[in-house]
Amino acid sequence: MKILNFGSLNIDNVYQVDHFVRKGETISSKSLTLFSGGKGLNQSVALGRAGAKVWHAGSIGKDGLFLLETLRTAGVNVFCVRVLEEGKTGNAIIQNDAEGDNCILLYGGANQRITREQIDETLSHFSAEDFLVLQNEVNELPYLVQKAHEKGMRIVLNPSPMDEKIFEINLSLVDLFVLNDLEAAELTGGTGTEPATMLALLQRKFPSACFVLTLGPQGAYYADAKQTIWQEIYPAKVVDTTAAGDTFTGYFLAAILEGKSVKASLGLAAKAAAIAVSRPGAAPSIPKLDEVLKMWN
């Protein structure tokens, strides 16, 4: 069983600020640091560092070649990444404030130049029951989901960043949604804020899917047709939350594919995310499995 993560590859420009810039305001940042990033890359790095065998697919410009080394170092296979002759790698402008929160402005770049020919060629290397992991930072997602479903692949969707393009996908083909409360509300049109309400609405709309609902300080929930499980957070001094959700996603999937129970997988993911938020940057903040086990055992 293989894991294919067809996702974004970004150069993250991280600005350390006292507070997020407001309309009409000009402020000075304390620092500017460049990191490897993109939700796709972050989740692949998390999967790789958690011990999973993962292939990453996507596109970069020649300015993003260092991203391939980030993936390789984490144990990720980059055979399916294309380097475009023209155009820039996707990038993000990230403001990180004094409380460790962030706001992000994305430029799609090469992430928005995925072709159907590239998708067909990539999927030819994978089979039924292999996992396909997706986020909403690359184009051609409806085609990608349909073709993967036709092959019998199991589809995992993190609908972030949430926008109208998500609804172009045949969401009934998704096997597992990993999402936060805002994304859940957008998907269901619900106004309730209680986890039980959100999960009920999700299950009503997508009865054949499973769900991981992440709620920041309130922890996370897993739900399927048979069970609902809550996972508390682990304490950490928050420095940068940029890769928290991606770390959680990668570690949860890696543990599930290793055969761990849902409860054990949620616990491992929460521990890894607690370490990630205590460090600056996206991909560089994601811990290795032995570090997670050593810190929390």
Side-chain angles (χ1 to χ4, degrees):
M1 186 183 298
K2 298 178 181 178
I3 305 173
L4 169 64
N5 185 1
F6 209 126
S8 56
L9 297 149
N10 283 346
I11 301 171
D12 284 353
N13 302 270
V14 181
Y15 295 83
Q16 195 71 39
V17 295
D18 289 325
H19 64 269
F20 300 148
V21 64
R22 295 181 286 263
K23 181 178 179 179
E25 182 182 27
T26 300
I27 62 175
S28 296
S29 65
K30 295 180 179 179
S31 64
L32 167 61
T33 311
L34 265 60
F35 292 107
S36 301
K39 293 191 71 65
L41 179 143
N42 295 340
Q43 290 178 15
S44 283
V45 168
L47 283 159
R49 290 181 182 168
K53 292 183 178 180
V54 56
W55 281 253
H56 192 97
S59 294
I60 58 173
K62 292 184 177 179
D63 57 332
L65 292 175
F66 73 96
L67 302 179
L68 299 181
E69 187 57 31
T70 298
L71 290 167
R72 291 191 190 100
T73 301
V76 179
N77 189 309
V78 298
F79 171 77
C80 297
V81 177
R82 287 195 174 181
V83 181
L84 304 182
E85 290 299 318
E86 298 181 357
K88 290 185 174 295
T89 301
N91 67 70
I93 295 174
I94 302 173
Q95 295 179 62
N96 187 245
D97 72 8
E99 283 73 46
D101 290 326
N102 63 76
C103 63
I104 303 172
L105 175 64
L106 290 175
Y107 168 68
N111 295 316
Q112 297 299 313
R113 295 178 62 190
I114 306 298
T115 65
R116 294 189 175 189
E117 178 273 331
Q118 179 183 357
I119 290 171
D120 291 341
E121 197 281 328
T122 298
L123 292 182
S124 71
H125 301 285
F126 297 87
S127 306
E129 299 303 314
D130 287 341
F131 275 68
L132 173 64
V133 181
L134 301 170
Q135 315 81 32
N136 192 26
E137 291 184 349
V138 299
N139 64 310
E140 290 289 1
L141 284 179
Y143 182 83
L144 182 48
V145 168
Q146 184 63 45
K147 290 299 180 181
H149 175 73
E150 291 172 5
K151 292 181 70 74
M153 297 180 73
R154 302 174 68 180
I155 299 168
V156 180
L157 175 64
N158 174 206
S160 176
M162 187 72 194
D163 61 27
E164 68 282 351
K165 291 188 295 182
I166 285 293
F167 297 99
E168 298 172 7
I169 302 169
N170 185 349
L171 295 173
S172 67
L173 304 181
V174 175
D175 296 286
L176 171 64
F177 290 88
V178 182
L179 69 178
N180 62 27
D181 55 342
L182 298 177
E183 292 153 1
E186 287 284 338
L187 279 182
T188 62
T191 56
T193 57
E194 291 299 317
T197 301
M198 288 187 281
L199 290 170
L201 289 170
L202 287 166
Q203 290 176 306
R204 191 179 307 157
K205 189 164 186 177
F206 308 107
S208 62
C210 305
F211 306 91
V212 173
L213 178 64
T214 58
L215 299 171
Q218 294 178 270
Y221 285 82
Y222 169 88
D224 59 28
K226 298 179 180 180
Q227 61 183 336
T228 299
I229 300 173
W230 175 67
Q231 173 61 51
E232 65 182 341
I233 66 167
Y234 286 83
K237 182 179 180 181
V238 178
V239 173
D240 185 349
T241 61
T242 305
D246 297 330
T247 302
F248 190 99
T249 299
Y251 264 82
F252 175 78
L253 291 174
I256 287 291
L257 291 173
E258 190 182 337
K260 294 184 183 297
S261 68
V262 170
K263 181 60 178 174
S265 300
L266 289 170
L268 184 68
K271 293 171 182 177
I275 296 174
V277 301
S278 69
R279 301 168 171 171
S285 73
I286 301 170
K288 295 181 180 179
L289 179 59
D290 58 354
E291 183 182 3
V292 178
L293 298 176
K294 182 179 179 180
M295 177 168 289
W296 296 106
N297 286 349

